[in-house]
Amino acid sequence: MACLRALPADKVVEVQSAFRFGLIGGPNTPIPVIFHAAFTTGAYAHVPVLTGTNHNEWRWPVANAELNSGKPLTADRYAAAIAAFYGPALAPAIVNEYQVASFPSSSEAVGAAETDGYMACGTLKLADWLSPSVPVYDYQFDDANVPMYMPPVSFPYGAAHTTELQFLFPLFHAAAVRSIRSAPANKRWRTR
């Protein structure tokens, strides 16, 4: 940890941009090599890999921000939201690529930009790194009408973060991490 803390911030950001997912492991079990180095040199367990994302993955955190603030993201705050996520250096290019006018709402625009940059690109890069050595099964969950367990917001959740898990684990109540049996039958799912 001392070595990590001694690194300049720009070096940490440089490594993160190659693969932005967090560390895997428990407390006091540091990973001996960064993901990029492990996956590109073959220093990992060579087993089949299933990887993927949800089409609207990052609408979930955008919805949480709206639920916490009580206000939808407005067009005049869009560029600042992108800069807060990606940093001021990358923000202009991302705002240009994901123009608010191309989406039904500012929330959906920021959700798309953050889904693509944070989840989809990283997942595709992981598949590129691993597929020469192991079978890789890649998916994208696209059900825009999937039942949602969170309260309604100003935009549709679509295939947001964790919404696919109900099809794999019927008692899983997504981010609440509790059984849907604990909710009254008429309150189990909120749909839009």
Side-chain angles (χ1 to χ4, degrees):
M1 291 308 290
C3 180
L4 180 62
R5 289 186 179 115
L7 288 173
D10 59 338
K11 188 66 175 170
V12 174
V13 170
E14 178 185 309
V15 173
Q16 283 182 325
S17 66
F19 193 80
R20 295 182 59 171
F21 296 141
L23 296 177
I24 298 172
N28 303 316
T29 56
I31 295 174
V33 62
I34 63 170
F35 290 130
H36 178 263
F39 296 149
T40 58
T41 63
Y44 60 91
H46 288 252
V47 296
V49 173
L50 172 65
T51 183
T53 62
N54 292 4
H55 183 79
N56 309 114
E57 190 81 48
W58 224 248
R59 286 189 191 178
W60 187 85
V62 175
N64 273 326
E66 181 175 316
L67 291 168
N68 289 332
S69 71
K71 300 175 192 170
L73 179 66
T74 57
D76 62 315
R77 293 184 5 242
Y78 172 70
I82 292 293
F85 191 82
Y86 284 107
L90 293 176
I94 294 166
V95 167
N96 185 55
E97 184 68 25
Y98 293 85
Q99 296 180 14
V100 171
S102 300
F103 294 87
S105 70
S106 300
S107 295
E108 290 166 89
V110 81
E114 293 174 4
T115 291
D116 290 353
Y118 191 69
M119 299 299 290
C121 288
T123 299
L124 292 172
K125 181 56 75 178
L126 173 65
D128 287 346
W129 289 337
L130 297 177
S131 61
S133 302
V134 299
V136 175
Y137 303 93
D138 200 21
Y139 73 89
Q140 178 172 304
F141 181 71
D142 287 318
D143 187 346
N145 298 310
V146 64
M148 178 43 97
Y149 54 90
M150 289 175 57
V153 290
S154 66
F155 58 95
Y157 283 93
H161 183 65
T162 72
T163 56
E164 81 287 11
L165 296 179
Q166 61 192 291
F167 298 102
L168 300 171
F169 309 104
L171 298 180
F172 186 72
H173 194 259
V177 192
R178 61 185 170 89
S179 167
I180 61 171
R181 286 185 182 165
S182 64
N186 64 342
K187 301 288 185 188
R188 287 187 182 158
W189 302 110
R190 289 192 168 103
T191 58
R192 295 189 54 74

